[in-house]
Structure formats: structure tokens, C-alpha cells
Amino acid sequence: EDQVTQSPEALRLQEGESSSLNCSYTVSGLRGLFWYRQDPGKGPEFLFTLYSAGEEKEKERLKATLTKKESFLHITAPKPEDSATYLCAVQAGRNFNKFYFGSGTKLNVKP
Amino acid sequence: SQTIHQWPATLVQPVGSPLSLECTVEGTSNPNLYWYRQAAGRGLQLLFYSIGIGQISSEVPQNLSASRPQDRQFILSSKKLLLSDSGFYLCAWNSRGNTDTQYFGPGTRLTVL
């Protein structure tokens, strides 16, 4: 069964304290893995798409990496404005209209 | 650039009442359209997706239905709401020619009392 698991569920960091969020997946024929940021009461905001193992993408303090079984979202020197829930999703190759989402990691960065 | 709209932003409805949520996309043609529901602290659950006018695929059997009367309009409906229909409803789109990254609307918060 296709599945996406994110860990930890919640993460508290001090401003400047770097860390990583994990997204592990089991899917037949990965077509793409996606990271989103979601602020309370708002729709998810697209961050990255990764297609193949070994691929990396960066945006400001965020860097996403992909292996054959998991993806990491690395946050370097986070700021309070990075506080949000980060969602991971995968798209399977056999039905590319189906996207499987994890339950997210709620990040809280304290000043 | 593309923009996706949802309305209403919030809705409080009694049990047994009907529902209509609307989603429209601007700045693109022939998009794939999706309806998701997000329960508190949970991931997104795919409800329906559409690859064209009148073409709807249902992912979860329930008392909700979806329609696509126009190319860039997607409607989520119910004849009689249940308490369990409460949640945050999100509409999303992606390109027909590049069916990967989805882009989400601002969402509708539905509370059924």
C-alpha cells in the first residue's frame, strides 16, 4: 500500500538551530516527491519537487534531498518566520493523478 | 500567472443542510483539478479529481459529490451534511501537460453543527 510518513510530528527549535525533517515513503514507481509549507488556516504553499534519488534543491534556508526511500528537508539557521507545518507528498507513477500526503511536521522556531 | 480562488472562506452549516463550495482557476487552460479535505492535525485526503469538463473521479465513498461545469471551475456539493464533513477543504490544480506539482487554493473552513 502506498504510504507517506513524516517525522517528527512536532519540532521546537531555537532561532539559528539547524535541523532536518524526515519524509519516508513506500510507493510503487515514484514519479515525484513534493514539499509544501502550510501556515495556520491557509492552503499549502509549494516549496520543492524532487524526481530522482540523489537530487537536491535549495531555497533560502531550506534544502530538500531525496533517496530511494526517504526525503529530508534541512533547515539551516532557522528564523521565527520559518514556523509552519511542512507537508510531504508523493506521486505514484501508475496513477499520476493520485498524490499521497503525510500528516506533516509542525515546526516552531523560538527567537 | 495562475491564480486559484475558493469561496466561501468559512462556512458554518447545520447537520442535514446542503453544501456547495466553489473553486476557480485563472491564467491556465485545461487544468487538472482536485478536491482535498484536511482534518485537524492530519494529512490531506484526496476526495475527487477531474481531468476535464464533466470528468470526475471519486476517491472516497461518502455523501459528497463534485462537478466540473466549466474548464476552470470545480464544485464540491452535498445534499445533506453530516457532522463528520467538518474540516478544511482545499482545491488544487496542476497542468494537463505536466501532471506533477499541484498548487493549492486558500481553502474553505467548514463547520457542521
Side-chain angles (χ1 to χ4, degrees), chain A residues 31-32 34 36 38 41-46 48-49 51 87 91 95-104, chain B residues 32 34 36 38 41-44 46 49 51 59 88 90 94 98-107 109:
Chain A
R31 182 180 174 93
F34 312 92
Y36 291 86
Q38 186 175 26
K42 300 197 174 178
E45 174 189 345
F46 169 70
F48 304 109
T49 302
Y51 294 102
L87 298 172
Q91 181 186 30
N95 183 349
F96 49 79
N97 284 305
K98 291 192 72 171
F99 292 75
Y100 301 90
F101 279 81
S103 54
Chain B
N32 295 315
Y34 304 80
Y36 287 89
Q38 186 176 33
R42 305 276 300 274
L44 276 65
L46 179 63
Y49 67 88
I51 63 172
E59 290 299 308
F88 192 47
L90 289 158
N94 62 11
N98 185 17
T99 54
D100 52 16
T101 305
Q102 292 183 318
Y103 299 93
F104 286 85
R109 172 72 61 190

Side-chain angles (χ1 to χ4, degrees), chain B residues 8-19:
Chain B
T10 60
L11 191 60
V12 180
Q13 293 284 93
V15 169
S17 63
L19 173 73

Side-chain angles (χ1 to χ4, degrees), chain B residues 6 14 16 22 26 33-34 40 43-44 47 56 62 67 72 75-76 79-80 84 86 91 93 102 111:
Chain B
Q6 288 186 243
E22 189 166 343
E26 295 177 355
L33 296 171
Y34 304 80
L44 276 65
L47 302 176
I56 309 294
Q62 56 204 334
S67 62
R72 290 171 290 174
I75 296 172
L76 183 69
K79 292 182 179 178
K80 288 186 177 182
S84 57
S86 294
C91 181
W93 74 276
Q102 292 183 318
T111 303

Side-chain angles (χ1 to χ4, degrees), chain A residues 4-108:
Chain A
V4 179
T5 303
Q6 290 189 247
S7 61
E9 289 185 9
L11 183 61
R12 294 179 91 181
L13 298 174
Q14 286 296 127
E15 184 171 2
E17 179 187 3
S18 301
S19 188
S20 297
L21 314 182
N22 177 264
C23 171
S24 62
Y25 61 90
T26 55
V27 64
S28 300
L30 179 73
R31 182 180 174 93
L33 184 140
F34 312 92
W35 283 99
Y36 291 86
R37 169 193 170 124
Q38 186 175 26
D39 292 304
K42 300 197 174 178
E45 174 189 345
F46 169 70
L47 293 174
F48 304 109
T49 302
L50 302 167
Y51 294 102
S52 57
E55 189 175 359
E56 300 182 351
K57 291 200 175 166
E58 288 188 68
K59 180 181 179 181
E60 296 180 355
R61 294 176 293 282
L62 301 176
K63 179 180 174 180
T65 62
L66 180 64
T67 71
K68 288 187 178 179
K69 293 188 176 181
E70 58 190 349
S71 176
F72 291 94
L73 185 65
H74 307 278
I75 303 177
T76 302
K79 298 182 178 182
E81 53 262 41
D82 295 321
S83 298
T85 295
Y86 291 84
L87 298 172
C88 169
V90 299
Q91 181 186 30
R94 68 179 184 280
N95 183 349
F96 49 79
N97 284 305
K98 291 192 72 171
F99 292 75
Y100 301 90
F101 279 81
S103 54
T105 293
K106 186 173 183 180
L107 174 65
N108 185 6

